[in-house]
Amino acid sequence: VISIMDRDKIAENFISAIKREFPDVGKRIDEQMKALELDPEDKMYTQMFECFSQATTDSIKEKDSETALNHLNYMSNKLKHASGVEREYIDVYYTESLMWDIKDKKLKAWGWKLFPENIKQLYENMWGKQNL
């Protein structure tokens, strides 16, 4: 059993790695935490991962395949060697909310083609088979 402190440390390290890899996403995460009026010691990791997911979704909406692929491939590679805690964050707080606000079927199908297989699997485990 992993303690809350250990879970938080794992999540914090994961977020730090994402911020280093994607400084623009790091800025976006920091801005969102500020907008929620959180103290610096308040770490809302679930919100931070959802913010990364939204950044990926926004790049799909903008048809920015390079950014979307960079995000998706980063998470796909991380998933291959993820601890249980990391896997949970990738699955529940990153993958489940991908493309949530894309209503255009053609755009969603375009974005779906960018998903690596292991991310597709997580997505379909939650939302069912995608007929795009």
Side-chain angles (χ1 to χ4, degrees), residues 31-45:
E31 286 169 5
Q32 183 166 359
M33 294 303 104
K34 218 182 274 176
L36 293 172
E37 297 180 0
L38 296 172
D39 291 323
E41 63 273 2
D42 291 333
K43 302 288 188 194
M44 292 196 54
Y45 300 112

Side-chain angles (χ1 to χ4, degrees), residues 17-123:
I18 289 168
K19 287 176 160 188
R20 276 192 307 278
E21 186 73 23
F22 305 105
D24 54 322
V25 172
K27 211 169 110 182
R28 186 172 173 157
I29 288 170
D30 292 344
E31 286 169 5
Q32 183 166 359
M33 294 303 104
K34 218 182 274 176
L36 293 172
E37 297 180 0
L38 296 172
D39 291 323
E41 63 273 2
D42 291 333
K43 302 288 188 194
M44 292 196 54
Y45 300 112
T46 57
Q47 197 76 32
M48 292 174 174
F49 278 91
E50 287 172 355
C51 188
F52 185 33
S53 178
Q54 188 61 49
T56 305
T57 297
D58 289 347
S59 65
I60 291 169
K61 289 194 288 195
E62 295 160 10
K63 285 203 166 184
D64 177 355
S65 59
E66 183 181 349
T67 300
L69 279 169
N70 285 339
H71 292 185
L72 290 162
N73 288 332
Y74 178 85
M75 291 305 250
S76 172
N77 290 329
K78 182 69 174 173
L79 184 60
K80 292 173 188 170
H81 309 287
S83 69
V85 172
E86 292 166 330
R87 183 179 180 79
E88 178 187 336
Y89 277 99
I90 294 168
D91 184 7
V92 179
Y93 305 109
Y94 177 78
T95 304
E96 282 185 14
S97 58
L98 287 169
M99 302 197 300
W100 70 276
D101 62 348
I102 298 177
K103 306 298 179 232
D104 180 324
K105 276 237 185 248
K106 282 184 182 168
L107 182 57
K108 202 167 184 175
W110 180 87
W112 183 247
K113 289 182 183 115
L114 303 176
F115 281 42
E117 280 309 310
N118 59 352
I119 299 293
K120 280 183 177 177
Q121 190 62 57
L122 290 179
Y123 192 89

